[in-house]
Amino acid sequence: MAANSRFAVAAHILSLLHVNEGSRITSEYIAGSVNTNPVVVRRIMGMLAKAGLVRTSPGVAGASLARPIGEITLLDVYRAVQAEDGALFAIHEHPNPDCPVGRNIQSTLEASFLRAQLAMERELAGMTMEEVVLDLVGRT
Amino acid sequence: MAANSRFAVAAHILSLLHVNEGSRITSEYIAGSVNTNPVVVRRIMGMLAKAGLVRTSPGVAGASLARPIGEITLLDVYRAVQAEDGALFAIHEHPNPDCPVGRNIQSTLEASFLRAQLAMERELAGMTMEEVVLDLVGRT
DNA sequence: ATTCCCTGTAACTATAATGATGACAACTTA
DNA sequence: TAAGTTGTCATCATTATAGTTACAGGGAAT
């Protein structure tokens, strides 16, 4: 797989942590639900911890949510597992500076692309992990 | 580069076609402005043609816009150069069906992710290539 | 008609991002 | 101390993308 499924896996992990609150589930258990390798889970869990969404302790199972689940938005999760850059769309580098179009295309597109990205992020910010979990259990 | 810059290059190409209307520019000329290989330009131009945004003829230089530039939205361009799938965010496959969370996470996230994607697409649909070109020449 | 230029496409290579995996040190707890 | 777990590194396979070479076929100008 080359597609980035970290966002989805992160949401899956947070859902499991909430549903199993108090149980002390291991990365191996989580990996069993996600159907991947425990290392992948620990890696993503590390990103969630660095972003302040979960609390983990070395050597001890059972990570816990660092905030009420209703206060964790999908945007928080998205940002936690995204690369440094954070740009949704890439722009080709080094267009020809001697061409009127090439000289300005980057800054122009950057602005347009940013608008689209912000619209997407606004929508993500409007959804919480609580809604995700509620939908999840509602489907049984 | 592994990041997908086709969207940006496509917008660059369309801008050039409009600015040079009547000139009959070649894929080599365009490649010079984008700073890439002519084949890359022809490849993306092919996608734009298949999407009905430009008209090309084999063997003859000077593709032309198939519609007024003000009626080509950034969403049109985005869709023209995107992969079949079209999903903005990937979802991990084969979560564990024996787990309440794993069993339903896909359909739940699919709905949430789609909302975010639609917000992004709405914003792209609200911007036209005409605005891009105007901004472009305005920066001169 | 010949020549020259251009497009459309296939084939191949190089580069990155990603996920899967094995290994292991450090930590916690019984 | 022993068992189990996390955090992290290193490596490999897969995949998407862009860059590049090559070439068949179309168009146009002479």
Side-chain angles (χ1 to χ4, degrees):
Chain A
M1 260 174 253
N4 181 343
S5 62
R6 286 197 302 264
F7 186 17
V9 173
H12 190 149
I13 292 175
L14 292 172
S15 299
L16 284 173
L17 288 182
H18 179 260
V19 169
N20 295 280
E21 230 164 16
S23 294
R24 303 209 162 293
I25 56 178
T26 67
S27 63
E28 183 158 358
Y29 173 85
I30 296 174
S33 174
V34 173
N35 190 28
T36 183
N37 192 288
V39 174
V40 173
V41 172
R42 296 202 285 266
R43 209 144 50 189
I44 293 177
M45 190 91 83
M47 299 187 206
L48 294 174
K50 183 180 287 185
L53 301 184
V54 304
R55 260 190 285 271
T56 66
S57 5
V60 52
S64 59
L65 299 181
R67 290 191 224 158
I69 192 155
E71 294 175 19
I72 298 179
T73 71
L74 286 190
L75 179 58
D76 294 325
V77 182
Y78 173 71
R79 287 194 168 142
V81 299
Q82 243 30 35
E84 281 297 307
D85 185 355
L88 188 55
F89 304 118
I91 300 183
H92 55 297
E93 296 179 321
H94 312 303
N96 192 336
D98 297 334
C99 167
V101 172
R103 178 163 52 243
N104 300 303
I105 189 77
Q106 288 176 309
S107 41
T108 293
L109 289 183
E110 204 173 304
S112 303
F113 288 1
L114 186 59
R115 276 182 55 184
Q117 177 170 343
L118 289 179
M120 181 272 285
E121 294 187 351
R122 252 193 309 279
E123 195 73 15
L124 286 183
M127 297 184 270
T128 71
M129 279 304 305
E130 183 172 33
E131 290 164 23
V132 169
V133 172
L134 282 177
D135 182 290
L136 210 52
V137 303
R139 294 176 189 258
T140 303
Chain B
M1 258 175 257
N4 181 342
S5 61
R6 284 196 302 263
F7 184 17
V9 173
H12 190 150
I13 292 174
L14 292 173
S15 299
L16 284 173
L17 289 181
H18 180 260
V19 170
N20 296 280
E21 231 163 15
S23 295
R24 302 210 164 293
I25 55 178
T26 67
S27 63
E28 183 157 357
Y29 172 85
I30 296 175
S33 174
V34 172
N35 189 30
T36 184
N37 192 289
V39 174
V40 172
V41 171
R42 294 203 287 267
R43 211 142 52 187
I44 293 177
M45 191 93 81
M47 299 187 206
L48 294 174
K50 183 180 291 184
L53 302 184
V54 304
R55 262 190 285 270
T56 66
S57 6
V60 54
S64 60
L65 299 182
R67 292 191 224 157
I69 190 153
E71 293 176 19
I72 298 180
T73 71
L74 286 190
L75 179 58
D76 293 326
V77 182
Y78 173 71
R79 286 196 168 139
V81 298
Q82 242 32 34
E84 282 297 308
D85 184 354
L88 187 55
F89 304 117
I91 299 183
H92 54 297
E93 295 179 322
H94 311 304
N96 191 335
D98 297 333
C99 167
V101 172
R103 178 164 54 242
N104 300 303
I105 190 74
Q106 288 176 308
S107 39
T108 293
L109 289 183
E110 204 172 305
S112 303
F113 289 0
L114 186 59
R115 277 183 53 185
Q117 177 170 343
L118 290 179
M120 183 272 285
E121 294 186 351
R122 252 193 310 279
E123 194 73 15
L124 286 182
M127 297 183 271
T128 71
M129 279 304 302
E130 183 172 34
E131 291 163 22
V132 168
V133 172
L134 283 177
D135 181 290
L136 211 49
V137 301
R139 292 176 190 259
T140 303

